[in-house]
Amino acid sequence: MNSLIDTSVIVVFSVFIMVIGLLFSRTGRNLKSFFAGGEAVPWFIGGLSLFMSFFSAGTFVAWGSIAYKYGWVAVTIQWTMCIGGLVTGLYLAPKWKATGSLTAAEFIKERLGEKVQKSFIYIFMLVSLFIKGSVLYSVSKLVGSSLEFPLVPVTVVLGILMIAYTAVGGLWAVMVTDILQFVILTAAVLLIIPLAFTEAGGVQNFLTKVPDDFFQPVNGEYTWGFIGAFALYHIFYIGGNWTFVQRYTSVDTPKSASKVAFLFAGLYILSPVLWMLPPMIYQTINPGLSGIETENAYLMVCKQVLPAGLMGLILTGMYFSTSASANTALNVVSAVFTNDIYKGNINPKASDEKLMKVARTSSWCFGFGMIAIALIVPYIGGIVEFTLSVGAITGGPLLAPPIWALFSKRITGKVTILVTMISLAVNLIFKIMLPLVFDYKLSRGSEMLLGVLLPFALLLIYEIYAASKGLISKEYLQLQERKAVRKATVVQVDEAELAETRKQNKFGLQVISFSLAFIALLLFVLCAFTAKATGMVAVIATIILLSALIPFRASRKAVVK
C-alpha cells in the first residue's frame, strides 16, 4: 500500500476517534448514564451498535478464512446470526427490558439468587476475557501484517488504546464508534467488491475458476448439523449474552428493545454476502494459501485492489470495529463488577463519584487480562479453532439457564448451577480429556450440538418434572413479591437526572452527525490522491455526507428540558 498516505489516514482517523471518546468523558454522571445511556438510547442507534458489537476483525479473519477455503458456507454460517436476531426480537429482547434490570447479572440475582449471580459473574468475566482476547488477536494480526510490525507489541498497544477509550467514554462513546465503523466498513466493502472482480478478470472468470462445491450452502466440516447447532447457539448468544442484553435494557420500552434485535437481524441478511465476497474472489486470484495463512486472505485482497488511503481507512475501521466489540464487553464486564459486586456486596453506600472511579479502574484491569489472552491465541490453534471451541464449550451452559428463567416460574437457583456445571464439565471432557486420553475427537458439528443441546435438554427435563409435581420456585415467588412492592411504591422522578440524560442523548446524536461529515470530508480529500475508483469514492463520500443529516435532524427534534 502507499505507506505514507495510508499511515497518515490511520493516524488522523485514530486521533479523531479518541477525541470522540474524550468528548463523552463528562457525560457519565452515574452508573445508569455511563453503562446504559440513561435507558433512553434511540432504538436505531442501539440496533446498529448491537450489529457492530457482534462484528469485529474476527469477521474478516475467521469467517474470511472459511470463505477463502470453503466458499459460500461462510455466508450460511453468518445467516444463523439473523435467525438468532429474529427470535431475540420476538421473544427475548422485550423480556429483558421488562425485567427492569440494568444488567443481566442484576436479573439473575433477582430471579435466581445471589449465590447463582456470583457464580455466573465470575464465569462470565473469565469467558468474556477469552472471547475478546481472540478479537484483539484478530485485529492485531491485521494491523501488524499490513504495517509489518511484530505481533506482540502491536497487541499490547492496540489493547491499551481499546481500554482507554472505554474507561473514558462509557456506553455512548462505544455506540458512536459502532456507528462510524458501520459506515466506514460498509463503504469500504462496496469499493472492494467491484475492484476485486476486476482484478479476478470479471464475474464470469471468477465463476469459472472457483471449485465445484464453492457455492454449496454447507461444505467441509461445516455440515447441516453444525449449521443447525450454530443457529441454536446464536439464539442463546444474541438473546442472552450479557454484552448484548445491555443493548435491550438501554432503550426506553420493550417494543424498542425488539426493534433493536430486528434491525440487527435485518442487517445480517445482506451483510454476510457483501463481506464474504472479497475473500471468495481472492481464492481465484491467489489460490495458494493454506493453513493459518488463509487468515490473511481478506487483508491480502484489500492491499491488492484498494487505492491509496483507502487501505488505511479500512484498516482503521477494522481496528475500531474490533475495538467497539471489545469495548462493549469491557463496558459490560465493568458494569457487572461495579454494580453487582462492588456496589452490591463491597460498598452498598458508595457515592456516584466513587462508583465511577471503580468503573473506570475495573475497565483497565479487565482490559489487561484481555491483552494477555490475545497473546496466547496463536498457540491454541488459531482464531477459527479458538472462537468456535470457546463458543461450543461455554455458550449453552452459561446463556441457556438465565434465558429459561425469563419464562419459567419453576427453575431454581440450585438447578441453574447444577445444569451449568454439568454441561461445562461434559463439554470440557469431550473437548480436552477424551482427545488427550483416548484420541477421540468430536466433529465440529457434533461439538456444537453437544454444547447447545445438553443444557437445553437438562432444563427441559427439570421443567417437566417440576410441572408434574406442581413445584414453583421460591425465588420466583420472592421476585413477584418484590415487584408488587415496587409497583405500589411511588417512584420519584429526578428531573435533573432526566434532563441530563436527554442532554447526553442529544449530544450523542450531534457527535454522530459531525463524525459522519468528517468521514465524508476525509474521503473527498482522498479523491485527490487516488488514481483509481476516484468517482466511486466521491459518490460514497456524498452518500455519507447526506446520511449525516439523519442524526442531525434527530438531534434537532430531541427534547432537552
Side-chain angles (χ1 to χ4, degrees):
M1 64 179 176
N2 188 318
S3 58
L4 179 59
I5 296 176
D6 284 308
T7 302
S8 299
V9 169
I10 291 171
V11 172
V12 170
F13 192 63
S14 296
V15 170
F16 177 72
I17 292 294
M18 293 303 294
V19 168
I20 289 176
L22 292 173
L23 288 175
F24 286 97
S25 63
R26 296 183 180 181
T27 62
R29 299 173 68 245
N30 52 38
L31 289 184
K32 184 177 286 188
S33 63
F34 188 75
F35 290 126
E39 294 186 273
V41 173
W43 68 265
F44 57 91
I45 300 294
L48 286 176
S49 179
L50 174 63
F51 177 74
M52 291 307 295
S53 297
F54 202 82
F55 175 84
S56 69
T59 302
F60 297 108
V61 177
W63 307 135
S65 173
I66 294 172
Y68 176 88
K69 291 190 288 186
Y70 299 110
W72 191 265
V73 68
V75 176
T76 307
I77 291 172
Q78 292 180 77
W79 275 343
T80 64
M81 303 167 192
C82 174
I83 296 172
L86 288 173
V87 174
T88 298
L90 287 171
Y91 304 109
L92 303 180
K95 275 284 188 179
W96 280 115
K97 179 59 185 176
T99 64
S101 299
L102 179 64
T103 66
E106 186 178 326
F107 165 75
I108 291 172
K109 180 181 179 180
E110 287 255 301
R111 173 62 184 83
L112 298 169
E114 188 173 332
K115 291 182 179 179
V116 178
Q117 181 210 39
K118 287 182 178 179
S119 300
F120 269 69
I121 283 174
Y122 296 134
I123 298 173
F124 170 78
M125 290 191 296
L126 181 62
V127 171
S128 293
L129 291 181
F130 273 91
I131 293 175
K132 297 313 170 184
S134 69
V135 166
L136 175 58
Y137 162 77
S138 298
V139 74
S140 300
K141 184 166 185 177
L142 285 171
V143 173
S145 298
S146 61
L147 300 180
E148 299 180 355
F149 290 155
L151 182 61
V152 172
V154 168
T155 302
V156 174
V157 171
L158 295 185
I160 290 174
L161 288 176
M162 287 182 183
I163 307 164
Y165 190 75
T166 304
V168 169
L171 179 63
W172 255 111
V174 172
M175 290 193 299
V176 171
T177 309
D178 289 339
I179 305 305
L180 299 187
Q181 302 335 307
F182 171 76
V183 172
I184 290 171
L185 294 175
T186 300
V189 79
L190 291 176
L191 281 171
I192 293 169
I193 291 172
L195 294 175
F197 272 126
T198 301
E199 193 76 17
V203 176
Q204 189 58 48
N205 192 52
F206 161 69
L207 296 174
T208 302
K209 286 187 175 182
V210 296
D212 293 338
D213 58 357
F214 209 59
F215 287 97
Q216 294 296 319
V218 294
N219 201 344
E221 61 183 330
Y222 304 102
T223 62
W224 281 119
F226 172 85
I227 298 299
F230 214 47
L232 184 58
Y233 164 76
H234 276 115
I235 293 173
F236 293 155
Y237 192 69
I238 297 167
N241 184 280
W242 295 7
T243 300
F244 306 142
V245 167
Q246 188 187 34
R247 294 297 181 268
Y248 315 136
T249 61
S250 62
V251 293
D252 54 354
T253 64
K255 186 177 181 180
S256 294
S258 290
K259 290 179 180 180
V260 169
F262 287 145
L263 178 56
F264 170 90
L267 290 170
Y268 254 106
I269 294 175
L270 180 60
S271 58
V273 179
L274 297 177
W275 285 338
M276 293 301 103
L277 271 175
M280 290 169 65
I281 298 169
Y282 192 66
Q283 212 278 344
T284 64
I285 299 173
N286 179 15
L289 300 183
S290 61
I292 204 168
E293 289 180 339
T294 60
E295 293 182 356
N296 289 325
Y298 220 115
L299 176 65
M300 291 179 177
V301 69
C302 291
K303 291 174 70 174
Q304 188 157 337
V305 305
L306 282 176
L310 269 297
M311 183 62 206
L313 190 62
I314 191 173
L315 196 63
T316 314
M318 286 181 181
Y319 165 66
F320 278 106
S321 67
T322 302
S323 177
S325 175
N327 287 344
T328 301
L330 288 176
N331 186 264
V332 172
V333 169
S334 178
V336 167
F337 177 83
T338 306
N339 188 62
D340 302 301
I341 295 181
Y342 185 80
K343 181 183 177 183
N345 300 291
I346 300 175
N347 189 0
K349 297 182 179 180
S351 64
D352 284 338
E353 182 180 359
K354 179 65 175 179
L355 290 174
M356 291 303 300
K357 289 181 179 178
V358 173
R360 292 189 165 106
T361 302
S362 62
S363 291
W364 281 99
C365 294
F366 291 122
F368 283 120
M370 176 187 71
I371 293 172
I373 297 298
L375 295 175
I376 68 173
V377 170
Y379 306 101
I380 316 178
I383 185 65
V384 175
E385 176 67 26
F386 187 90
T387 301
L388 294 179
S389 294
V390 171
I393 293 170
T394 66
L398 289 180
L399 304 176
I403 290 176
W404 197 278
L406 286 171
F407 301 91
S408 173
K409 60 184 179 181
R410 306 185 191 280
I411 186 174
T412 67
K414 290 182 179 179
V415 171
T416 298
I417 290 293
L418 192 62
V419 168
T420 298
M421 294 306 173
I422 290 174
S423 302
L424 282 173
V426 172
N427 289 342
L428 287 169
I429 288 171
F430 275 91
K431 181 62 185 179
I432 298 175
M433 297 300 296
L434 292 184
L436 287 176
V437 178
F438 299 104
D439 196 28
Y440 175 78
K441 184 178 182 180
L442 293 175
S443 66
R444 182 75 72 192
S446 298
E447 179 181 271
M448 188 62 66
L449 277 171
L450 175 66
V452 297
L453 290 182
L454 178 59
F456 182 84
L458 293 175
L459 290 166
L460 181 60
I461 290 170
Y462 178 78
E463 189 75 20
I464 294 172
Y465 166 78
S468 69
K469 298 292 185 179
L471 300 177
I472 303 295
S473 164
K474 67 176 183 180
E475 294 96 343
Y476 175 81
L477 295 175
Q478 291 168 354
L479 175 60
Q480 298 311 305
E481 292 175 2
R482 287 193 294 271
K483 282 186 174 180
V485 172
R486 284 198 292 261
K487 188 175 182 180
T489 303
V490 178
V491 178
Q492 298 294 326
V493 178
D494 188 333
E495 294 295 340
E497 181 176 337
L498 184 60
E500 285 297 323
T501 295
R502 290 171 176 169
K503 183 178 178 181
Q504 178 191 44
N505 293 340
K506 180 183 179 72
F507 178 70
L509 291 169
Q510 291 172 336
V511 173
I512 291 173
S513 178
F514 170 75
S515 301
L516 291 175
F518 177 83
I519 293 172
L521 177 62
L522 184 60
L523 288 174
F524 280 127
V525 171
L526 289 177
C527 287
F529 298 94
T530 58
K532 58 180 179 179
T534 304
M536 292 176 60
V537 175
V539 169
I540 290 175
T542 302
I543 294 172
I544 293 175
L545 183 60
L546 293 175
S547 70
L549 294 173
I550 299 174
F552 177 74
R553 294 180 64 183
S555 70
R556 294 288 297 272
K557 295 178 181 179
V559 179
V560 175
K561 295 182 180 180

